[in-house]
């Protein structure tokens, strides 16, 4: 999302994911106290509050770290993004912040295993897929059908022209960061529900996977990113289950990335664009 | 003009760094003895580093409170290697060349000890690893020691445990390919278990730090072994146990000393219940040295119960201090010889001697997780 609008990879995105999980970790006991533990309403509250807090954090990061560099070369912003990411990761590991040891993530919803013959599906997985589909539709509606979505697309197309047309570019970029960070927070919570040990470096691997999935599907293309993600996940899981191949699991993700960049740089669903000179 | 300004600033910065480098190069002389320590205080295996660091720190503080060694106080220089490959080399180089330490204590994980060991060996700085069990660590050279047993012993004990206590005929092995510890322990387990008549079922790998293990576990499940052996670290093991439980696998899971951390219990909760692992010692083993250590540790670190890494961190420092006392000097060759001569040392983890391979010869304990607690199960003598 951020890449689509600003054309740079926000490395700190994976750390916002981590912060989302930690926000949920700290607010869920408070919500449990008022609404009883593992209630559906409480779970929704945790998601909404964590998403809101992370949206603010995302906007703050953009304001402090990226906005001052708006007119600098892209490389400067990219390196700053790496710096912001490391800053968040290592601040988080300080023992007075989160500490480096993994913390136990609380169960937000009662978990059940659904048995379909030999197939075992965890209710958390169903939840993850459900939430993803809902958010995907919501994103598509925001980007394609609303005024602010139109403005986002305009900024993505040409920042200067957009500002000449009276679009408040800074506000639109802030909004994009807020939206992206809220999504990251939700992803973080879903991820933590599945693997309930959360630590300040938990965002790094999913961040890399998300990047590969996005490139695989075509950067800036929403359905493409989903297809990329599903493909990558299936390939990795199959590789994980085959003796002898299971140690190449991570390698497979990045081998795919290289192949895609070589043969179809625009991704599976991406449109090839001609760079204007 | 602009360029020259920046250039001078840069030069200024570089010279400041250089000055600070040269002026700090004292450590060995003076009225203190500098001891180096590198540990994973942050990153994926942080609880190991934090525990061993706390144990080491406690030992140094106790000795200083009792007047130090050879009439000098000890200073502990600690470097964090962030659980990252590459960092131990930086840390050890800094400790040797900048801080001028006389010996180095570390690391828990074998992969990172193996990285630091050649540097210590080359510079003739004795290095004592608290808990690296991979046999190759001390094979690096005659300046590298450890105060724990090796995986050859641990793997054999685990194999006997699998066929004896668990009565398992077929065992699946899930190895962390990123860790020398995991690969080494898996190898010695498989050798012993198959020579004693057991059958190794599916052998699968994972990468330390993975979050999804269902691919591997589904393959293991369809192979239907009697037990699963995971020579991994606590953070991965907790998640593997949770996912195994979700898949409805009710077979025993067991592993080595990499399991021992409070995080295994807090994250794994009821999914790790009933599973077993082998480790160096148990706070409940009842020897006076252990009881004293546990009391001192609890007092120093806000009532925290020490784990095996803390005990071994303490022992590694105590072995070094004992050697300095016997050598009556901190000169590296004499100190090395004194460490090598360590015999019947009464450490907090138990009584041990260092053998000709510079490994500690000592007993191993089995722990079972019962009612959310590490419960002492059995002791295996070498």
């Amino acid at each position: 999302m951020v890449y689509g609008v600003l054309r740079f990879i926000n490395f700190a995105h994976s750390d916002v994911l981590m912060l989302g999980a930690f926000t949920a970790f700290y607010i869920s006991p408070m919500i449990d106290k008022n609404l009883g533990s593992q209630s559906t309403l409480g779970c929704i509250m945790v998601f909404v509050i964590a998403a809101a807090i992370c949206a603010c954090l995302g906007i703050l990061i953009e304001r402090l770290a990226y906005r001052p560099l708006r007119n600098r070369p892209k490389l400067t912003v990219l390196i700053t993004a790496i710096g912001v990411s490391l800053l968040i990761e290592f601040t988080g590991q300080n023992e007075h912040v989160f500490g480096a040891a993994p913390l136990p993530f609380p169960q937000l919803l009662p978990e059940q295993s659904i048995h379909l013959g030999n197939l075992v599906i965890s209710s958390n997985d169903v939840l993850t897929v459900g939430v993803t589909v809902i958010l995907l539709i919501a994103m598509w509606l925001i980007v394609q059908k609303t005024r602010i979505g139109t403005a986002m697309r305009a900024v993505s197309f040409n920042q200067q022209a957009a500002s000449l047309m009276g679009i408040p570019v800074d506000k639109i970029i802030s909004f994009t960061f807020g939206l992206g960070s809220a999504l990251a927070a939700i992803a973080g919570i879903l991820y933590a529900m599945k693997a309930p040990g959360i630590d300040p470096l938990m965002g790094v691997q999913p961040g890399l996977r998300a990047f590969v999935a996005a490139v695989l599907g075509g950067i800036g293309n929403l359905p493409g990113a989903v297809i990329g993600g599903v493909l990558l996940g299936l390939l990795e899981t199959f590789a994980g289950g085959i003796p002898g191949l299971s140690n190449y699991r991570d390698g497979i993700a990045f081998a795919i990335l290289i192949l895609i960049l070589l043969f179809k740089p625009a991704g599976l669903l991406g449109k090839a664009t001609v760079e204007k000179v | 003009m602009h360029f020259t300004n920046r250039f001078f600033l840069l030069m200024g910065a570089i010279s400041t760094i250089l000055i600070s480098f040269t002026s700090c190069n004292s450590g060995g002389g003076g009225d203190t003895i500098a001891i180096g320590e590198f540990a994973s205080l942050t990153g994926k295996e942080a609880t190991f580093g934090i525990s061993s660091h706390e144990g080491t720190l406690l030992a140094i503080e106790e000795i200083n409170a009792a007047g130090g060694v050879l009439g000098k106080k000890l200073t502990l220089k600690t470097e964090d290697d962030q659980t990252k490959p590459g960092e131990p080399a930086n840390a050890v180089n800094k400790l040797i060349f900048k801080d001028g330490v006389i010996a180095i204590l570390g690391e828990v994980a074998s992969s990172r000890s193996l990285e630091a060991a050649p540097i210590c060996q080359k510079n003739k700085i004795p290095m004592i690893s608290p808990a690296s069990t991979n046999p190759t660590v001390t094979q690096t050279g005659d300046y590298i020691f450890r105060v724990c047993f090796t995986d050859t012993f641990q793997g054999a004990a685990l194999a006997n445990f699998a066929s004896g206590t668990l009565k398992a005929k077929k065992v699946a092995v899930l190895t962390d390919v990123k860790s020398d510890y995991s690969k080494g322990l898996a190898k010695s387990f498989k050798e012993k278990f198959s020579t004693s008549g057991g059958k190794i079922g599916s052998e699968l790998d994972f990468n330390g730090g993975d979050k999804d293990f269902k691919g591997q576990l589904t393959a293991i499940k369809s192979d239907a072994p009697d037990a699963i052996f995971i020579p991994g670290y606590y953070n991965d093991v907790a998640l593997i146990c949770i996912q195994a439980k979700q898949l409805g696998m009710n077979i025993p899971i067991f592993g080595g000393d990499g399991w021992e951390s409070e995080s295994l219990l807090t994250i794994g909760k009821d999914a790790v219940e009933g599973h077993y692992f082998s480790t160096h010692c148990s706070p409940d083993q009842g020897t006076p040295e252990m009881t004293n250590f546990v009391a001192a540790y609890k007092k120093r670190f806000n009532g925290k119960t020490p784990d095996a890494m803390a005990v071994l961190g303490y022992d590694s420092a105590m072995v070094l201090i004992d050697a300095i006392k016997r050598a009556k000097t901190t000169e590296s060759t004499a100190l090395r010889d004194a460490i090598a001569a360590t015999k019947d040392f009464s450490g907090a983890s138990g009584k041990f001697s260092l053998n000709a391979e510079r490994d500690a010869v000592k007993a191993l304990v089995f722990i079972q997780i019962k009612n959310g607690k590490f419960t002492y199960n059995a002791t295996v003598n070498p």
Side-chain angles (χ1 to χ4, degrees):
Chain A
M1 181 139 269
V2 167
Y3 182 87
V5 174
L6 281 178
R7 304 275 151 204
F8 91 93
I9 299 157
N10 182 15
F11 281 101
H13 197 70
S14 48
D15 302 300
V16 178
L17 182 147
M18 176 273 287
L19 291 172
F22 272 94
T23 321
F25 174 78
Y26 287 114
I27 59 176
S28 85
M30 289 180 228
I31 287 177
D32 277 0
K33 225 179 278 168
N34 296 323
L35 290 168
S37 70
Q38 303 190 2
S39 63
T40 318
L41 184 67
C43 179
I44 295 171
M45 290 272 288
V46 170
F47 272 98
V48 172
I49 297 174
I53 292 175
C54 285
C56 298
L57 281 172
I59 293 169
L60 193 71
I61 292 171
E62 193 270 335
R63 187 116 208 175
L64 296 177
Y66 305 143
R67 188 171 294 180
L69 303 171
R70 184 66 45 79
N71 296 318
R72 296 286 181 82
K74 289 277 181 286
L75 194 62
T76 318
V77 191
L78 194 75
I79 292 167
T80 310
I82 298 175
V84 171
S85 167
L86 290 175
L87 177 73
I88 298 177
E89 281 165 18
F90 283 86
T91 313
Q93 288 195 60
N94 187 303
E95 54 187 317
H96 301 295
V97 187
F98 303 138
L103 293 172
F105 194 75
Q107 249 192 339
L108 297 178
L109 283 177
E111 195 182 358
Q112 279 141 16
S113 294
I114 302 162
H115 291 265
L116 298 168
N118 268 335
L119 205 65
V120 186
I121 306 171
S122 149
S123 55
N124 279 345
D125 295 340
V126 177
L127 180 78
T128 307
V129 174
V131 171
T132 312
V133 170
I134 294 168
L135 288 177
L136 200 66
I137 295 169
M139 281 309 115
W140 187 81
L141 286 176
I142 290 175
V143 173
Q144 300 294 335
K145 300 285 172 194
T146 61
R147 267 177 77 86
I148 200 153
T150 317
M152 277 163 71
R153 281 183 287 143
V155 173
S156 153
F157 197 69
N158 189 327
Q159 262 185 41
Q160 263 183 330
S163 76
L164 286 173
M165 295 299 128
I167 293 172
V169 173
D170 279 347
K171 266 195 196 139
I172 296 299
I173 291 176
S174 282
F175 176 77
T176 314
F177 265 88
L179 198 60
S181 303
L183 290 178
I186 293 172
I189 302 173
L190 289 170
Y191 190 57
M193 283 170 84
K194 186 171 167 55
I198 57 171
D199 62 82
L201 297 180
M202 65 179 278
V204 179
Q205 284 301 325
L208 280 175
R209 296 294 194 293
F211 177 61
V212 177
V215 173
L216 189 60
I219 271 193
N221 183 316
L222 291 177
V226 174
I227 293 174
V230 171
L231 261 180
L232 185 68
L234 285 176
L235 275 168
E236 283 202 348
T237 308
F238 274 118
I242 302 166
L245 252 188
S246 48
N247 50 350
Y248 290 104
R249 220 172 94 139
D250 287 13
I252 284 167
F254 296 99
I256 291 169
L257 178 68
I258 293 168
L259 287 177
I260 290 289
L261 289 175
L262 276 177
F263 293 107
K264 210 162 180 322
L268 294 177
L269 295 186
K271 283 188 220 80
T273 47
V274 183
E275 194 81 4
K276 272 172 283 186
V277 189
Chain B
M1 191 61 212
H2 213 84
F3 169 76
T4 40
N5 264 345
R6 279 196 190 172
F7 181 73
F8 276 115
L9 264 178
L10 187 69
M11 288 307 287
I14 291 174
S15 51
T16 321
I17 294 167
L18 284 179
I19 289 165
S20 61
F21 250 101
T22 42
S23 59
C24 290
N25 208 341
S26 50
D31 48 0
T32 59
I33 298 172
I35 293 175
E37 182 208 13
F38 69 109
S40 51
L41 299 177
T42 57
K44 198 162 64 66
E45 283 138 28
T47 67
F48 282 165
I50 294 168
S51 286
S52 72
H53 169 67
E54 287 174 350
T56 309
L57 188 66
L58 183 66
I60 303 282
E61 286 176 355
E62 278 182 6
I63 296 299
N64 278 343
V69 211
L70 310 180
K72 291 177 183 179
K73 294 271 182 200
L74 301 168
T75 49
L76 183 66
K77 306 272 184 191
T78 306
E79 286 293 317
D80 175 20
D81 62 32
Q82 306 169 16
T83 321
K84 267 191 199 158
E87 290 297 328
N90 292 341
V92 170
N93 273 319
K94 177 168 177 277
L95 288 170
I96 296 175
F97 296 110
K98 182 167 173 283
D99 298 329
V101 298
I102 56 133
I104 285 178
L105 304 172
E107 230 255 39
V108 170
S110 299
S111 299
R112 295 190 287 280
S113 292
L114 279 168
E115 206 179 299
I119 302 169
C120 294
Q121 175 67 26
K122 199 173 143 215
N123 294 294
K124 296 200 175 353
I125 298 289
M127 166 175 150
I128 306 178
S129 161
S132 292
T133 48
N134 189 301
T136 51
V137 172
T138 50
Q139 286 162 15
T140 310
D142 58 352
Y143 277 82
I144 316 297
F145 302 88
R146 75 177 110 216
V147 293
C148 56
F149 48 70
T150 67
D151 285 336
T152 320
F153 171 58
Q154 184 171 216
L158 281 161
N160 290 336
F161 174 79
S163 48
T165 314
L166 295 179
K167 310 236 177 313
K169 297 207 167 51
K170 185 158 109 178
V171 174
V173 182
L174 192 52
T175 317
D176 175 359
V177 281
K178 263 191 193 164
S179 139
D180 290 325
Y181 156 74
S182 188
K183 287 187 278 189
L185 186 55
K187 187 169 158 258
S188 62
F189 171 81
K190 284 189 278 193
E191 279 168 11
K192 178 75 184 173
F193 191 64
S194 34
T195 51
S196 61
K199 187 169 174 283
I200 301 291
S202 21
E203 290 174 49
L204 288 153
D205 300 325
F206 65 95
N207 278 299
D210 282 356
K211 301 280 174 186
D212 185 53
F213 303 91
K214 291 229 170 108
Q216 289 94 323
L217 288 170
T218 311
I220 291 176
K221 194 185 175 190
S222 60
D223 189 48
D226 301 320
I228 311 175
F229 175 52
I230 312 173
Y233 291 130
Y234 60 92
N235 40 7
D236 302 317
V237 170
L239 296 181
I240 294 173
C241 291
I242 291 173
Q243 294 176 15
K245 194 171 182 240
Q246 284 173 351
L247 290 175
M249 300 164 82
N250 293 321
I251 47 175
I253 303 178
F254 63 105
D257 56 321
W259 282 37
E260 187 170 350
S261 166
E262 277 296 308
S263 297
L264 182 76
L265 301 174
T266 52
I267 296 169
K269 295 200 182 77
D270 55 337
V272 293
E273 188 67 28
H275 298 326
Y276 299 87
F277 64 90
S278 59
T279 189
H280 307 272
C281 53
S282 156
D284 314 323
Q285 68 193 26
T287 55
E289 288 86 3
M290 180 58 108
T291 318
N292 291 341
F293 170 76
V294 172
Y297 187 90
K298 278 190 172 161
K299 197 169 155 228
R300 172 70 176 78
F301 300 105
N302 308 323
K304 197 169 149 189
T305 309
D307 56 20
M309 305 309 153
V311 180
L312 293 173
Y314 180 84
D315 277 0
S316 68
M318 283 305 188
V319 164
L320 176 67
I321 291 159
D322 176 62
I324 298 175
K325 279 182 190 159
R326 282 186 283 112
K328 298 194 177 62
T329 169
T330 55
E331 191 271 318
S332 82
T333 328
L335 185 56
R336 192 216 78 86
D337 294 342
I339 301 172
T342 301
K343 206 165 166 52
D344 294 329
F345 180 83
S346 299
S349 59
K351 205 172 200 136
F352 61 88
S353 305
L354 295 184
N355 64 12
E357 279 81 47
R358 297 168 300 283
D359 302 327
V361 180
K362 62 204 287 193
L364 164 155
V365 295
F366 276 97
I367 303 272
Q368 185 180 23
I369 298 149
K370 260 193 207 159
N371 304 321
K373 282 201 181 69
F374 292 142
T375 320
Y376 172 79
N377 184 273
T379 303
V380 179
N381 286 309

